Amino acid sequence: MENNYQCTAFIITAVEIETNSIKSLYNDWKKISVEGDSQVYYETFFEKDGKRQRIITAQQSVMGMTAATVLTMKAIETFKPRYVIMSGIAAGTGDEAKQIYGDVIVPDVIWDYSTGKFVGPDETEIRFGDIGFLPRPRSVYIDKEIVDIVKDTMGREDNEFHVHIGPLACGSSVVANRAVVEKQVLSLFPHTVGLDMESYSVAFTCQNCKAPQPTAIIIKSICDFADSEKSDQYQKFAAYTSSGYTKYLLENQLPLE
């Protein structure tokens, strides 16, 4: 591979339901270990244009941005992937007229909505009772070439997945309260399409590691809408659509040379 890359893609998952969905894409995963590293990795291959493409996947030890950073950096240092792909589930921010369960989210920008300062309610417009929150959001942008590739897949006959492109909000907490979405997310970035707990760290790590830097791609599917009706009911379906679109991009759309 060019630029000293040693594998085509490293796929990161945060929870077991996502891992199982990724591993269902291929039948011949092989467990591999790295000396001095307690992380468990799995490896498989697929053929494209007569060439063997190597994929490695691993699941974070726990959910959240810290674990995502650690696993992403270990993946980059150990396996030198061309792409680091996070595939899994997320919350949608729209109503069911705009988004439905299983819709795929591919962000063009990811922003950390959880950074800021807790202040008195009179010091900010974002208030939760007698607590105010003064935001200091940080953003990381996904490579434009990737965004353009995803745009080109939307509406194609060979793409069975419904894809949304837009900002993805990332924070350190599970959200099951619509007030947080309205006050802390949509008030700052009105066009935000979803929320998750890891993506910012994955993209930031890819863009700030030493060479050869991989390209980060985030593929999340909607399993709930971050409100009081939040449940696990659609997690398996969302994991299925996100992993399916991941395979579709890898085998049909992403440049692998």
Side-chain angles (χ1 to χ4, degrees), residues 149-165 245 248 253:
I149 288 171
V150 172
K151 286 180 180 177
D152 287 343
T153 72
M154 297 169 70
R156 287 175 58 109
E157 290 186 3
D158 64 343
N159 174 24
E160 62 179 310
F161 306 97
H162 187 208
V163 181
H164 300 271
I165 297 175
Y245 188 71
Y248 169 74
Q253 302 300 326

Side-chain angles (χ1 to χ4, degrees), residues 3 8 16 24 36 50 61-62 78 94 121 123 141 144 160 164 177 187 202 206 219 228 241:
N3 300 315
T8 300
E16 186 175 11
S24 72
S61 57
V62 295
T78 305
E123 299 179 58
Y141 288 83
K144 185 179 182 299
E160 62 179 310
H164 300 271
N177 189 317
S187 65
V202 173
C206 289
I219 301 171
S228 60
T241 59

Side-chain angles (χ1 to χ4, degrees), residues 45-145:
F45 298 86
F46 71 90
E47 296 284 335
K48 183 175 181 181
D49 298 330
K51 294 185 178 180
R52 202 175 189 218
Q53 306 294 335
R54 184 187 187 199
I55 301 174
I56 299 171
T57 190
Q59 179 183 317
Q60 295 177 198
S61 57
V62 295
M63 296 168 63
M65 285 194 272
T66 300
T69 299
V70 171
L71 181 52
T72 303
M73 187 59 77
K74 288 200 293 186
I76 294 168
E77 290 289 322
T78 305
F79 300 106
K80 295 179 173 55
R82 177 165 185 180
Y83 300 104
V84 171
I85 302 173
M86 173 157 251
S87 176
I89 60 179
T93 58
D95 56 39
E96 293 191 19
K98 298 177 181 179
Q99 297 178 335
I100 61 173
Y101 297 111
D103 278 3
V104 176
I105 293 172
V106 180
D108 52 2
V109 58
I110 307 165
W111 64 285
D112 182 354
Y113 72 89
S114 62
T115 54
K117 182 179 180 181
F118 290 105
V119 296
D122 297 331
E123 299 179 58
T124 177
E125 294 183 359
I126 300 176
R127 306 181 186 94
F128 300 94
D130 60 354
I131 298 174
F133 182 75
L134 194 62
R136 294 175 182 168
R138 299 170 296 184
S139 300
V140 59
Y141 288 83
I142 297 300
D143 187 276
K144 185 179 182 299
E145 180 183 7

Side-chain angles (χ1 to χ4, degrees), residues 181-199:
V181 177
E182 298 290 345
K183 294 181 180 181
Q184 198 167 330
V185 175
L186 295 179
S187 65
L188 297 175
F189 285 72
H191 300 295
T192 296
V193 294
L195 297 88
D196 85 332
M197 296 174 60
E198 293 87 17
S199 59

